[in-house]
């Protein structure tokens, strides 16, 4: 046998040993989820947009100031899914799909497909150029699925996916960077009633979540749209609201959330063996904003990273922005996204909250199903 053949055999053996070690780690993890698969937008993007041509990026300072440096996360520290992953005992943070290192045995613990600017509808986020909407994220998951089959076979792959945790954080951009885009969307708002726009979102979301189920997902957390009228960006765009949140964006978010809850109920009934969780992040974040002082925050309305606007919401966070020194005292990191401190509260309520926060069970309880 040639030296080259010996090397190939040695590489194959080492790869199989590493794969077996990862599988054993999975079996004896603190909680019973073997892997964590994340779909979503900038609220949970872990750096996928670093690798595409997009105006929606966070791979520069001061983003990540409390994470050790910028990673592509749109916050000062960790995202909600980062914190949940830590609490569930996963080895490290779930890596972004587009990172060159997210290959081989590493994907057996899960992959993050989320993309800043992404949405349910494919036209959402056009103003950013590059972004990965939910349909494309599902395409990427299909690629990962094939990689897992190549590693462990189809039967083991299905068992892995059926016991893993899947989360989908989508919908905010369909409003902020589609239906409510300043100037650009004026004609759409005139021609398309809000009810019709929401109906189109729900119809597409039904197809996408069904596809996710058909690809092997069974334990699926679907996060609703938060109180987008309360983010610094919308507050500054709607100055007549004064100290209050902007009414119309919140009304549409609530309209979507009502339809989303019905959709989740329908899918739970029609897709046998599925466990869909409805995460009411609107309720959680609204509660934090309305009672920010009791949570230890000094501000529930202004961005910590700011440049212009009464609430710091008119210019995205960037190298020229000013940054508040006590970041843990702000609910919002920038014009759009929560701070690490707010994300901790949201994550823990999804992990351990009652059925008003997440229905019909929390993530800890899902781990034991």
């Amino acid at each position: 046998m040639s030296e080259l053949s010996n090397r190939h055999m040695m590489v194959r053996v080492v790869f199989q040993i590493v794969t077996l070690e990862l599988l054993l780690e999975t079996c004896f993890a603190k909680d019973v989820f073997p892997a964590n698969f994340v779909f979503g937008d900038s609220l949970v993007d872990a750096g996928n947009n670093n690798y595409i041509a997009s105006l929606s990026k966070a791979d520069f300072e001061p983003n990540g100031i409390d994470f050790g440096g910028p990673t592509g996360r749109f916050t000062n520290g960790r995202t909600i899914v980062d914190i949940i992953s830590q609490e569930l005992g996963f080895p490290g943070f779930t890596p972004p799909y587009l990172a060159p290192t997210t290959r081989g045995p590493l994907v057996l613990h899960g992959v993050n497909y989320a993309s800043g600017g992404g949405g349910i509808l494919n036209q959402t986020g056009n103003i950013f150029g590059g972004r990965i909407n939910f349909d494309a994220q599902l395409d990427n998951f299909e690629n990962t699925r094939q990689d897992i089959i190549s590693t462990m076979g189809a039967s083991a792959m299905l068992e892995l996916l059926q016991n893993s945790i899947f989360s989908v954080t989508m919908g905010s951009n369909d409003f902020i960077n589609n239906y409510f885009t300043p100037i650009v969307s004026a004609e759409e708002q005139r021609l398309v009633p809000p009810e019709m726009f929401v109906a189109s979102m729900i119809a597409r979301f039904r197809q996408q979540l069904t596809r996710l189920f058909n690809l092997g997902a069974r334990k699926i957390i679907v996060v609703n749209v938060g109180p987008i009228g309360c983010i610094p960006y919308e507050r500054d765009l709607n100055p007549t609201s004064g100290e209050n949140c902007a009414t119309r964006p919140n009304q549409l978010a609530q309209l979507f959330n009502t339809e989303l809850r019905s959709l989740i109920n329908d899918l739970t009934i029609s897709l046998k063996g599925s466990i869909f969780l409805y995460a009411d992040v609107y309720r959680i974040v609204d509660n934090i904003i309305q009672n920010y002082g009791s949570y230890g925050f000094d501000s529930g309305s202004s961005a910590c990273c700011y440049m212009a606007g009464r609430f710091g919401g008119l210019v995205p966070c960037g190298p020229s922005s000013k940054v508040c020194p006590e970041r843990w005292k702000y609910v919002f990191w920038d014009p759009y996204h929560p701070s690490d401190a707010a994300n901790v509260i949201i994550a823990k309520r999804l992990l351990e909250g009652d059925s008003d926060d997440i229905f019909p069970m929390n993530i800890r309880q899902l781990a034991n199903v």
Side-chain angles (χ1 to χ4, degrees), residues 159-209:
E159 185 173 355
L160 174 75
L161 297 186
Q162 288 172 3
N163 289 293
S164 296
I165 181 174
F166 289 76
S167 61
V168 182
T169 307
M170 282 283 188
S172 296
N173 282 315
D174 294 282
F175 294 112
I176 298 170
N177 294 306
N178 185 338
Y179 195 71
F180 285 133
T181 307
I183 303 173
V184 177
S185 67
E187 186 70 5
E188 182 178 19
Q189 290 186 47
R190 190 179 68 82
L191 296 174
V192 181
E195 295 79 8
M196 186 180 296
F197 183 79
V198 166
S200 69
M201 288 176 64
I202 292 293
R204 191 71 196 153
F205 214 16
R206 180 186 296 273
Q207 295 173 356
Q208 292 163 335
L209 292 173

Side-chain angles (χ1 to χ4, degrees), residues 232-300:
Y233 169 75
E234 290 293 346
R235 287 179 186 265
D236 274 330
L237 281 189
N238 297 274
T240 57
S241 298
E243 294 292 334
N244 299 318
C245 300
T247 302
R248 194 156 181 261
N250 278 355
Q251 287 175 338
L252 262 69
Q254 289 172 314
L255 175 63
F256 172 80
N257 291 342
T258 299
E259 296 300 319
L260 176 62
R261 185 150 195 165
S262 296
L263 171 61
I264 297 305
N265 290 338
D266 289 348
L267 293 176
T268 300
I269 294 168
S270 62
L271 302 177
K272 303 302 180 185
S274 67
I275 304 175
F276 281 93
L277 271 57
Y278 175 81
D280 196 350
V281 167
Y282 187 104
R283 178 180 185 274
I284 295 171
V285 174
D286 184 60
N287 179 255
I288 295 170
I289 291 169
Q290 301 305 325
N291 303 283
Y292 65 88
S294 64
Y295 285 98
F297 295 108
D298 285 349
S299 171

Side-chain angles (χ1 to χ4, degrees), residues 31 36 53 96 130 174 198 281 295 311-312 329 349 352:
D31 282 291
N36 181 24
D174 294 282
V198 166
V281 167
Y295 285 98
F311 298 98
K329 291 188 176 181
R349 285 179 65 168
E352 300 160 1

Side-chain angles (χ1 to χ4, degrees), residues 25-95:
E25 284 179 28
T26 290
C27 292
F28 296 103
K30 187 169 70 175
D31 282 291
V32 299
F33 296 120
N36 181 24
F37 295 96
V38 178
F39 302 84
D41 53 31
S42 58
L43 291 170
V44 291
D45 187 350
N48 281 306
N49 279 22
N50 297 354
Y51 303 96
I52 62 176
S54 175
L55 294 177
S56 178
K57 285 182 178 285
D59 56 344
F60 46 78
E61 296 179 345
N63 294 299
I65 191 171
D66 298 307
F67 197 88
T71 60
R73 289 167 170 82
F74 291 77
T75 186
N76 60 306
R78 298 161 296 171
T79 67
I80 297 166
V81 293
D82 287 333
I83 296 159
I84 289 173
S85 179
Q86 285 180 313
E87 289 291 323
L88 291 176
F90 282 100
F93 298 116
T94 305

Side-chain angles (χ1 to χ4, degrees), residues 57-63 74 304-308 312 315-323 333-336:
K57 285 182 178 285
D59 56 344
F60 46 78
E61 296 179 345
N63 294 299
F74 291 77
C304 169
C305 182
Y306 65 97
M307 183 180 292
V315 179
C317 180
S320 300
S321 300
K322 296 178 181 178
V323 178
W333 160 242
D334 67 6
Y336 312 95

